[in-house]
Amino acid sequence: MSLHHLFLDGQILAEEDEPVFPLSFSEADLNHVRALRLTPGEHIAVVDGATDYFECEVVSVDKDSISVRIASKLEKLIPPARFTLIQGLAKGDKVDAVVRAATEMGASAIQVAAFQRSVVRLDAKKALARQKRWQAVARSAALQSGCLEVPAVGFARDIPSLLEMVSEMDCVVVFWEEASPDQTLHEALAPAREVMEEGRMPMVGLIVGPEGGIAPAEVEALRALPQVRCASLGRHILRTETAGIVACGLASYELGCL
């Protein structure tokens, strides 16, 4: 049976002096811990503030704290590649669903981007509030799914901001509804596989547009970067929230991250 995974923002377990010590959770994470109904003797997995990974035995539990002893230090599995999902800003709670699923599939980061055809428009105040909510969704999904890290969730307000970000990546795939079905994801990820063959971990970007898709001018601006390629998700037109989730799953499989 897999262990429940918990995250600590600041506490570093290697610095604890006593064999039994309390874990320090944020209030939001403490609510999650309470919902788990842990009992003494159970074992949990903890990723601490230094991103070290431990198996801990629960010694005592009360309403506001949990005390543990370290059972062992665990090895973190290093993925062969890291990928960032760049999801077009969409209406309602669609982005929430994409952030949740992308986290479960192992995205190292999620960037929500405003495109020309995005229906939703966010000013600076609303963008910050949404970003905080999306980050909370990612943390909750990481706790639920046993991820070893919480992906950082950002917001790109325009194409120049997006171009600046992806210019630092090794391989970027634009999933475009006008791409030929012959433009496969396997082919588009060739630069990432070349980096892996050199013994390095590639940084991969996966771009999915909003409800109205990505405008041709935006695609051309992205394709001007040498590491950017277009790919098709098949002959059917997928909803933006479906496309983002499918893109993560297929890329994870292609890169051996599953």
Side-chain angles (χ1 to χ4, degrees):
M1 182 178 178
S2 61
L3 303 176
H4 293 297
H5 279 62
L6 302 174
F7 295 95
L8 306 174
D9 291 329
Q11 186 178 11
I12 299 175
L13 299 195
E15 296 180 354
E16 294 293 336
D17 296 326
E18 299 298 326
V20 176
F21 52 88
L23 296 179
S24 178
F25 298 107
S26 67
E27 185 59 36
D29 285 355
L30 186 57
N31 290 334
H32 175 78
V33 173
R34 290 181 184 130
L36 294 178
R37 300 184 182 276
L38 297 170
T39 58
E42 285 191 69
H43 284 227
I44 57 175
V46 177
V47 181
D48 71 3
T51 70
D52 285 328
Y53 186 35
F54 295 89
E55 179 177 345
C56 295
E57 179 188 352
V58 177
V59 175
S60 64
V61 179
D62 61 34
K63 180 181 177 182
D64 297 315
S65 68
I66 172 175
S67 293
V68 302
R69 65 166 56 91
I70 295 175
S72 64
K73 186 173 182 180
L74 303 174
E75 292 296 323
K76 292 181 70 174
L77 296 176
I78 306 300
R82 296 178 68 85
F83 68 90
T84 297
L85 174 65
I86 300 159
Q87 169 68 46
L89 180 61
K91 296 184 294 183
D93 59 358
K94 293 178 181 178
V95 175
D96 291 25
V98 174
V99 168
R100 186 175 298 108
T103 300
E104 293 172 0
M105 293 183 190
S108 58
I110 300 164
Q111 196 79 10
V112 181
F115 286 90
Q116 178 182 321
R117 295 176 177 173
S118 292
V119 176
V120 180
R121 299 295 172 186
L122 301 178
D123 58 26
K125 184 177 180 180
K126 288 182 178 179
L128 181 59
R130 291 282 186 94
Q131 188 176 345
K132 288 181 177 179
R133 188 178 81 188
W134 295 327
Q135 188 66 67
V137 170
R139 189 176 185 90
S140 175
L143 285 167
Q144 178 273 322
S145 61
C147 295
L148 298 187
E149 65 177 338
V150 180
V153 183
F155 180 70
R157 65 185 182 277
D158 51 31
I159 289 298
S161 301
L162 181 57
L163 290 171
E164 181 179 357
M165 182 187 68
V166 302
S167 66
E168 301 177 0
M169 296 180 176
D170 298 296
C171 176
V172 180
V173 183
V174 181
F175 294 96
W176 193 31
E177 63 272 17
E178 295 186 31
S180 166
D182 296 331
Q183 292 178 281
T184 65
L185 176 58
H186 180 79
E187 185 179 80
L189 289 173
R193 289 193 296 275
E194 291 173 4
V195 171
M196 293 166 69
E197 289 170 0
E198 295 171 0
R200 297 188 290 116
M201 179 187 293
M203 304 297 291
V204 179
L206 310 172
I207 301 181
V208 172
E211 288 96 343
I214 306 175
E218 294 171 320
V219 174
E220 289 307 310
L222 287 162
R223 291 178 64 184
L225 297 174
Q227 67 270 51
V228 176
R229 299 187 180 190
C230 289
S232 170
L233 283 174
R235 299 184 183 278
H236 298 159
I237 301 298
L238 304 180
R239 292 177 180 269
T240 180
E241 65 272 29
T242 307
I245 295 169
V246 170
C248 285
L250 292 177
S252 293
Y253 177 79
E254 285 281 348
L255 295 171
C257 296
L258 293 180

